[in-house]
Amino acid sequence: MKKVYGSATEALDGLLFDGMLIAAGGFGLCGIPELLIAAIRDAGTKDLTVASNNAGVDGFGLGLLLETKQVKKMISSYVGENAEFMRQYLSGELELEFNPQGTLAERMRAGGAGIPGFYTKTGVGTVIAEGKEVKTFDGHDYILERGIVADLSIVKAWKADETGNLMFRKTARNFNPPAASCGKVCVAEVEEIVPAGSLDPDKIHLPGIYVHRLIQGEHEKRIEQRTTRKRENA
Amino acid sequence: MAWDRNQMAARAAQELEDGMYVNLGIGIPTLVANYVGDKDITLQSENGMLGMGPFPYEGEEDPDLINAGKQTITELPRTAYFDSAMSFGMIRGGKIAAAILGAMEVAENGDLANWMIPGKLVKGMGGAMDLVAGVGRVIVVMDHTNKHGDSKVLKSCTLPLTGKGVVDRIITNLGVLDVAEGGLHIVECAEGVTEDELRAATEATIVD
């Protein structure tokens, strides 16, 4: 059970193919699998459908795969930070499926948990409900949403042990656990890989059963909106 | 005379009660946090945090610690982190007492539009549709009219909806209105605003 690989490119070897569906963790630029995204760009895999809450920014994160036009379709809840995304979308080069953020997270969670569909009240009576089955439970309407099962999941965690048990840090957890769970194969990149037994089993956020391949690397961890407050003089 | 952004935020803060878990939207709703005073309020950030603290001091920004607006923030002694599926589980599951959010249009039946203007730049709904569908109480804070002077408090929304029949209370620069049977009920007028002025700026049906 060797899960640790030497580089992002090695960890993705044999997993990429044109037209595949990739689920990616991260929220904005926080907790994104930046090394694996760069390796997918270098691999040149095309016609990707990417399920990710956001689409990165110009020149970083999933924005890298948009620049090279490797993405055919995005499944996202919010894409406002990326000029190249907008250009491709408005010119019809890029397909976009908006999912409410909670629906996207639950589609990933459900897909990973063997649940092919679920009913939710999110989006009832809006454009999101168009073409979807509506069912009434206890007098309230709900729409049917499908679980997502991705060909590949790419996620970022803080620490891993060599068996793939993951720990996340603060709000960098976000979509990473549900995204990891919904992939037929999951590759995780982390800041530090430690020997098995070094992590407190009670503090594992995502058990290694969900993680098939692992790499350790240096992360830029770019900040999207740097907001601060003034220090009051004592 | 009417309320300014901070006065609207201060009025919205009066809606919050001790012990509430609350989600604040971007814009004026964010300012509400400045006016909760001594009340024990826990703020949820839908990217996976309860107990959101203020912005960090310069030099203490942490790229792993942001709010739903992607701004750097801090944690508090009560903070808890979780993943996006659990975050929206607590939203959809009705565990969050209230959401305070901005709007482009609100209708007299409680319909809300705040995510999309067809033909213009479309950024996405983010978590807004889940929030308005799931939280206990939806409070909208917005200007009563748009920059052309047209009412944003309408008989029916013209823009694509974020949620249908979801709004409970509307706080604008001109006053406070509740969604009621058959239309909107005036709760109060802003300082220096008469009921006639509030009615004149409102397209929606006003009921007693």
Side-chain angles (χ1 to χ4, degrees):
Chain A
M1 190 184 63
K2 179 189 165 291
K3 292 191 178 178
V4 180
Y5 286 70
S7 70
T9 298
E10 285 171 42
L12 290 170
D13 185 46
L15 301 181
L16 301 176
F17 59 93
D18 292 349
M20 72 190 301
L21 169 60
I22 297 177
F27 180 93
L29 300 180
C30 181
I32 60 170
E34 51 179 90
L35 306 174
L36 291 161
I37 290 168
I40 292 169
R41 177 202 53 197
D42 295 345
T45 319
K46 288 188 174 53
D47 296 326
L48 300 172
T49 296
V50 181
S52 167
N53 188 56
N54 311 97
V57 296
D58 293 315
F60 193 64
L62 289 170
L64 294 178
L65 302 183
L66 294 167
E67 271 168 28
T68 51
K69 302 196 176 144
Q70 287 168 265
V71 181
K72 183 182 71 176
K73 179 181 176 182
M74 287 296 307
I75 303 173
S76 303
S77 87
Y78 193 84
V79 294
E81 321 298 339
N82 194 317
E84 176 61 15
F85 185 105
M86 277 302 153
R87 194 201 62 70
Q88 289 186 22
Y89 173 62
L90 294 172
S91 70
E93 294 165 55
L94 180 68
E95 292 172 53
L96 171 59
E97 178 187 324
F98 273 131
N99 279 193
Q101 194 173 140
T103 294
L104 180 58
E106 188 64 14
R107 290 185 69 194
M108 292 180 180
R109 196 201 68 80
I115 296 173
F118 58 91
Y119 291 97
T120 177
K121 55 188 164 184
T122 299
V124 170
T126 75
V127 293
I128 293 304
E130 285 173 11
K132 289 173 185 162
E133 183 196 326
V134 179
K135 192 161 175 164
T136 307
F137 295 90
D138 304 323
H140 296 282
D141 288 344
Y142 296 79
I143 56 176
L144 177 65
E145 295 280 4
R146 295 293 310 270
I148 291 175
V149 177
D151 296 306
L152 171 69
S153 295
I154 52 173
V155 300
K156 151 81 172 57
W158 176 45
K159 280 188 185 182
D161 70 20
E162 58 207 6
T163 75
N165 290 321
L166 300 185
M167 286 177 71
F168 300 91
R169 190 171 171 274
K170 302 183 188 284
T171 56
R173 192 181 321 182
N174 57 57
F175 273 81
N176 284 295
S181 74
C182 81
K184 292 173 190 164
V185 184
C186 172
V187 183
E189 59 179 70
V190 303
E191 295 173 42
E192 187 183 7
I193 299 174
V194 298
S198 312
L199 300 179
D200 181 347
D202 267 333
K203 290 181 179 155
I204 304 296
H205 297 129
L206 189 76
I209 192 169
Y210 294 108
V211 179
H212 303 93
R213 298 185 183 186
L214 264 179
I215 56 157
Q216 175 180 311
E218 291 291 319
H219 290 85
E220 180 183 335
K221 297 213 278 186
R222 196 181 290 187
I223 291 176
E224 202 162 334
Q225 306 270 353
R226 190 177 295 273
T227 44
T228 58
R229 68 188 143 134
K230 288 264 177 280
R231 218 176 270 276
E232 286 160 38
N233 291 324
Chain B
M1 272 296 288
W3 284 327
D4 63 20
R5 289 164 58 88
N6 284 301
Q7 288 168 314
M8 288 159 69
R11 178 60 189 79
Q14 290 176 23
E15 302 293 319
L16 305 181
E17 293 163 23
D18 232 25
M20 273 188 173
Y21 291 89
V22 177
N23 185 294
L24 301 179
I26 292 164
I28 300 174
T30 305
L31 301 174
V32 173
N34 300 334
Y35 297 97
V36 296
D38 293 335
K39 283 184 277 199
D40 184 28
I41 303 294
T42 304
L43 298 179
Q44 199 240 20
S45 189
E46 65 265 25
N47 53 319
M49 180 185 200
L50 278 165
M52 181 166 57
F55 294 150
Y57 293 120
E58 212 166 298
E60 295 180 3
E61 307 92 321
D62 183 340
D64 289 336
L65 183 44
I66 64 169
N67 63 18
K70 285 109 181 174
Q71 298 170 311
T72 46
I73 47 163
T74 55
E75 64 186 23
L76 300 170
R78 70 178 59 187
T79 296
Y81 300 110
F82 35 85
D83 69 50
S84 299
M86 179 176 278
S87 180
F88 284 92
M90 67 183 72
I91 288 169
R92 223 186 287 104
K95 315 299 178 188
I96 304 291
I100 301 179
L101 55 165
M104 297 168 182
E105 295 177 347
V106 183
E108 62 191 41
N109 62 356
D111 287 0
L112 168 69
N114 74 350
W115 78 281
M116 177 186 186
I117 302 175
K120 294 209 174 169
L121 200 63
V122 177
K123 295 185 168 189
M125 73 290 286
M129 284 192 180
D130 308 278
L131 280 160
V132 300
V135 303
R137 192 166 157 75
V138 174
I139 300 156
V140 163
V141 181
M142 65 174 191
D143 283 326
H144 208 95
T145 55
N146 66 21
K147 59 176 183 258
H148 309 295
D150 303 321
S151 187
K152 294 168 67 176
V153 186
L154 305 174
K155 290 189 186 303
S156 63
C157 291
T158 64
L159 297 169
L161 297 183
T162 307
K164 199 158 180 50
V166 294
V167 176
D168 294 291
R169 177 163 280 195
I170 308 162
I171 298 171
T172 76
N173 53 322
L174 301 184
V176 181
L177 302 104
D178 273 351
V179 177
E181 192 68 40
L184 301 178
H185 169 71
I186 297 175
V187 177
E188 65 184 82
C189 296
E191 212 180 323
V193 175
T194 67
E195 192 173 316
D196 284 345
E197 287 167 336
L198 180 58
R199 282 171 180 267
T202 306
E203 190 210 273
T205 310
I206 303 284
V207 295
D208 289 333

